[in-house]
Amino acid sequence: MNSSSLMKDSSVIPSLTTNESPFIEQARRDGRLYIQQPYELYSGQNHAAWRKLYARMRPRWDRYANEHFLNGIHSLCLDPERIPHLEDVNRFLRPLTGFQTKAVSGYVPAFVFFDCLRNRAFPTTVTIRRSDKLDYLPEPDIFHDVAGHVPMHTDKNFAEALVRFGECAHTAAEMAAGIRGPDTRTHYLTSVIRAMARFFWFTIEFGLMRSSDGLKVYGSGLLSSYGEIAHAIEAPEVQRYPMQLEWAINQGFEINHYQPLLFIVDSFDHLFSLVDQLESWMKAGKLSNVAPGEPEVNEQDLESFLHAELS
């Protein structure tokens, strides 16, 4: 069933609401990870959700977001009133860093996701949360991905750090391929994937950065959260420390509440150097036995590394 047939079927209400979209459900049943954004399926309520989210985040971005993000929002020319066409986003984004959004139907296995970054593509969700439930969503939606992540991809130094991070996944897959014994290989990959996920979480999703105006937010999980972006900077109970790689890769996290621990980088050059260090530690075996705990590594993530196509 394609988007046109969904429109013609009177029993189906066109919508791309998260967890309520027949189009997405069908794409998953068909095994289609990469899709075209079916823009005609967005309902009035979907656009209303984007409008509300954007309107209330704008003053918080002005106050708490880093300057690179603010420049990115300006460069992308996002419409505050309507969900953006990904083609339009890419038209502004590609000339700046070579990155582009790539619409997906749902969960992207770890190696596939990291490999997309290596190739300057960002897997992008097309659904959006309900307009009456704006505050928390455990899975990403198009507001988190396009308004939270993509403005950062307009910055050349940040983009290079993402590409470098994607290259680390290839290093991990190559090293795993040389390990004899399925149990040893699985243990190694489980630990390395967990370390990479934690690094991504504490930097790309929930990172803070120093600036001449004090601490600012560059992590996309914070940049797309009305409540947590202020909490991250102002709440006295939040622990904020200079980024320490050995701590971050051994530190579990939970996704269903405001983060109690955040790490600070000095610049995107600093972030790039941390990715370099992450790969060096991977080659030296320092990621092979990180502390257990969250996040759990699922079978899809393991399989994606075990069957990685390396080039």
Side-chain angles (χ1 to χ4, degrees):
M1 184 181 291
N2 59 31
S3 58
S4 297
S5 60
L6 281 168
M7 291 288 285
K8 294 174 183 176
D9 185 350
S10 59
S11 66
V12 176
I13 299 174
S15 172
L16 285 172
T17 305
T18 304
N19 297 327
E20 300 177 19
S21 171
F23 174 86
I24 294 298
E25 292 170 5
Q26 187 64 47
R28 290 174 179 171
R29 285 194 293 269
D30 294 343
R32 291 184 289 124
L33 176 59
Y34 301 116
I35 58 175
Q36 294 294 317
Q37 182 188 24
Y39 197 84
E40 70 278 7
L41 294 184
Y42 288 115
S43 66
Q45 286 297 308
N46 292 155
H47 289 296
W50 174 274
R51 185 166 57 251
K52 292 175 184 177
L53 287 163
Y54 198 100
R56 69 180 194 163
M57 284 307 302
R58 184 72 232 205
R60 300 242 158 166
W61 290 334
D62 290 339
R63 182 169 180 177
Y64 300 111
N66 75 91
E67 61 178 340
H68 307 282
F69 175 86
L70 297 175
N71 291 338
I73 283 284
H74 177 75
S75 298
L76 292 175
C77 300
L78 297 179
D79 187 342
E81 300 295 322
R82 297 179 65 80
I83 295 168
H85 288 271
L86 296 184
E87 290 179 358
D88 292 337
V89 173
N90 289 339
R91 183 161 53 88
F92 289 107
L93 177 59
R94 275 197 212 99
L96 297 174
T97 61
F99 259 85
Q100 63 180 336
T101 63
K102 190 171 186 177
V104 294
S105 62
Y107 183 76
V108 182
F111 181 84
V112 178
F113 180 84
F114 297 146
D115 190 51
C116 281
L117 299 182
R118 176 175 173 264
N119 290 291
R120 298 180 187 270
F122 183 69
T124 304
T125 313
V126 299
T127 58
I128 192 164
R129 69 198 77 177
R130 291 173 57 97
S131 61
D132 58 348
K133 294 182 178 180
L134 301 181
D135 287 328
Y136 177 72
L137 196 69
E139 55 273 296
D141 70 347
I142 196 170
F143 186 81
H144 170 78
D145 283 348
V146 171
H149 276 281
V150 176
M152 298 303 307
H153 302 168
T154 66
D155 183 90
K156 290 182 179 180
N157 292 326
F158 183 84
E160 292 305 319
L162 279 186
V163 173
R164 187 75 184 87
F165 185 72
E167 291 171 352
C168 290
H170 273 244
T171 300
E174 288 169 355
M175 292 182 66
I179 296 175
R180 293 185 177 182
D183 291 343
T184 305
R185 190 182 303 117
T186 296
H187 174 82
Y188 167 79
L189 277 177
T190 299
S191 182
V192 169
I193 294 169
R194 180 174 286 127
M196 292 186 68
R198 288 169 174 170
F199 182 89
F200 193 88
W201 181 267
F202 286 116
T203 57
I204 308 304
E205 290 287 0
F206 286 88
L208 302 179
M209 180 180 288
R210 301 187 195 283
S211 77
S212 58
D213 297 325
L215 288 184
K216 296 291 184 180
V217 168
Y218 78 93
S220 300
L222 299 173
L223 290 164
S224 59
S225 173
Y226 177 78
E228 193 161 11
I229 190 172
H231 185 264
I233 298 296
E234 296 184 350
E237 66 269 24
V238 175
Q239 300 179 75
R240 306 171 188 88
Y241 293 100
M243 180 64 176
Q244 299 176 51
L245 185 59
E246 63 273 27
W247 187 354
I249 64 174
N250 287 289
Q251 177 67 44
F253 60 82
E254 297 176 343
I255 68 172
N256 58 352
H257 55 72
Y258 286 179
Q259 296 303 300
L261 171 65
L262 301 172
F263 290 105
I264 305 161
V265 300
D266 298 326
S267 65
F268 292 143
D269 286 339
H270 181 203
L271 179 63
F272 189 96
S273 72
L274 287 166
V275 181
D276 269 348
Q277 186 180 6
L278 182 76
E279 187 182 53
S280 295
W281 283 18
M282 185 186 297
K283 291 177 177 178
K286 292 184 178 181
L287 306 189
S288 302
N289 291 287
V290 300
E294 294 295 334
E296 293 300 321
V297 177
N298 63 42
E299 202 65 34
Q300 283 180 284
D301 291 335
L302 283 171
E303 289 294 320
S304 71
F305 272 83
L306 289 169
H307 299 108
E309 295 184 10
L310 303 176
S311 59

